[in-house]
Amino acid sequence: MPEIILHHYALSTFSEKVRAALGLKSLAWRSVDIPPAPPRPLLAPLTGGYRRAPVLQVGADIYCDTHLILPTLERLFPPPQSPGLYPAGSEGLARGLSFAWDRAMWIPTIGVLSHFIGDQFPAEFVKDRQEGYLGFDISKSAMAPDLPVHLQQLHAQNAWLKCALADGRHFLFGDAPGALDLTCYQTISLLRNNCPPAVDALAGLLPLLPWYDRVKALGHGRPEAMTEQQAFDVARDSQPVTPIHLHGQSNPEGLLAGGAVTVTPDDNARVPVSGTLVAASDSEIVIHRMDAVAGDLHVHFPRLGYVVTAA
């Protein structure tokens, strides 16, 4: 079985989505704790400069963004080998709604978080998020005027989640948890893990708590600590795997393997990653990079939320 290495940090809400997925699938994995903000001198060479967390590593294959990481875990550890992330044929709907939830909930969740603990954010963290990530000030004083709007947005999103669970089902697609549950859970967990209990009423979370507790009970699987150097050494001593799962799939732009491309997030942290195209489909793109020390690497991105251009 492939060894799963997750580069993450505790406060990262998107990392929590993957940690919960590893719990749902009951997987053993190696846990690499990274700083909340760059520099990350041993991770940046593996990703080509991609700066968001988490990052999943399997040997010399590097997977960026939860919208690819979760489908990759399902591909590497399919049912019945491990519990599935997409019950009742829900993959297409779960992936689409997960993307929409993340885009809608990210900023208002930060706004409410800042209301409670924004004055505790280190100055260098606030500076990094403003200058290199989000493009705006997340300090408490800066975000305070928008708290009413952020609360409106949270309540509106939570309304459909409450409606979906109103018939008494345990999870969004029935009796089994899935990827969409993990997506919705991760932003709520950021608030509940870092804010006082008053956040439940303020953000309209009280009706969701039984469902929340069921998702939380999935745990994080079986993590074992690994250093950044050890993870780097694994990549250096491995060779990337040929992405046979993409062979014959639709490539809408007609991108040609072997061509130089850049891949860039289309929302924030817009750092282009350059490489040579290995394979592409309408849901995933794989580029080859040669790092002077780490060697041959394949870096994988989802197509949703990224722009691919010929270099």
Side-chain angles (χ1 to χ4, degrees):
M1 296 178 65
E3 181 181 51
I4 296 297
I5 302 170
L6 184 67
H7 301 257
H8 65 121
Y9 61 94
L11 189 63
S12 166
T13 178
F14 293 101
S15 295
E16 179 61 17
K17 186 198 300 190
V18 179
R19 292 187 293 254
L22 293 163
L24 189 159
K25 295 185 80 66
S26 300
L27 295 177
W29 54 284
R30 306 302 300 274
S31 172
V32 180
D33 187 38
I34 62 173
R40 299 170 182 143
L42 292 176
L43 180 57
L46 303 187
T47 65
Y50 175 82
R51 55 151 295 158
R52 303 198 289 194
V55 171
L56 188 79
Q57 176 186 348
V58 182
D61 281 86
I62 311 298
Y63 297 88
C64 300
D65 200 295
T66 62
H67 295 292
L68 179 62
I69 291 173
L70 264 62
T72 297
L73 289 174
E74 188 80 336
R75 175 174 60 83
L76 296 177
F77 303 93
Q81 180 180 333
S82 72
L85 291 171
Y86 303 103
S90 64
E91 182 169 358
L93 189 58
R95 291 176 71 169
L97 287 175
S98 290
F99 185 81
W101 176 277
D102 283 345
R103 286 290 174 99
M105 289 289 274
W106 181 222
I107 291 176
T109 298
I110 293 174
V112 175
L113 181 73
S114 180
H115 169 73
F116 286 104
I117 66 168
D119 54 357
Q120 301 172 33
F121 294 153
E124 62 272 17
F125 179 78
V126 173
K127 183 176 186 290
D128 171 76
R129 288 318 192 251
Q130 182 171 3
E131 296 180 358
Y133 198 121
L134 297 170
F136 59 86
D137 188 346
I138 64 169
S139 65
K140 183 171 182 174
S141 60
M143 300 207 79
D146 292 327
L147 178 64
V149 173
H150 292 150
L151 287 171
Q152 290 177 34
Q153 292 169 328
L154 291 189
H155 279 273
Q157 282 292 113
N158 286 332
W160 76 255
L161 185 56
K162 297 170 192 174
C163 183
L165 297 165
D167 61 1
R169 66 182 63 198
H170 280 189
F171 300 101
L172 285 168
F173 286 101
D175 292 332
L180 184 57
D181 294 282
L182 307 184
T183 295
C184 298
Y185 162 81
Q186 54 115 354
T187 47
I188 296 172
S189 73
L190 181 66
L191 297 178
R192 300 201 78 231
N193 289 339
N194 297 284
C195 300
V199 74
D200 289 341
L202 186 67
L205 300 177
L206 292 172
L208 295 172
L209 296 187
W211 161 84
Y212 175 92
D213 289 339
R214 285 190 288 269
V215 180
K216 184 177 181 179
L218 297 171
H220 291 161
R222 303 187 305 281
E224 180 182 347
M226 175 183 255
T227 67
E228 294 177 87
Q229 185 64 58
Q230 287 172 325
F232 184 89
D233 292 346
V234 168
R236 182 197 60 206
D237 297 340
S238 303
Q239 285 295 313
V241 176
T242 301
I244 58 174
H245 65 287
L246 297 182
H247 288 178
Q249 292 197 24
S250 171
N251 174 3
E253 295 95 341
L255 296 168
L256 297 178
V261 296
T262 62
V263 184
T264 309
D266 67 9
D267 55 346
N268 53 51
R270 298 185 182 188
V271 178
V273 178
S274 301
T276 302
L277 181 67
V278 176
S281 72
D282 56 7
S283 59
E284 180 177 351
I285 185 162
V286 186
I287 64 173
H288 171 263
R289 296 189 61 259
M290 168 60 78
D291 181 80
V293 180
D296 288 303
L297 302 159
H298 282 177
V299 188
H300 303 243
F301 297 91
R303 300 303 294 272
L304 198 60
Y306 289 79
V307 176
V308 183
T309 57

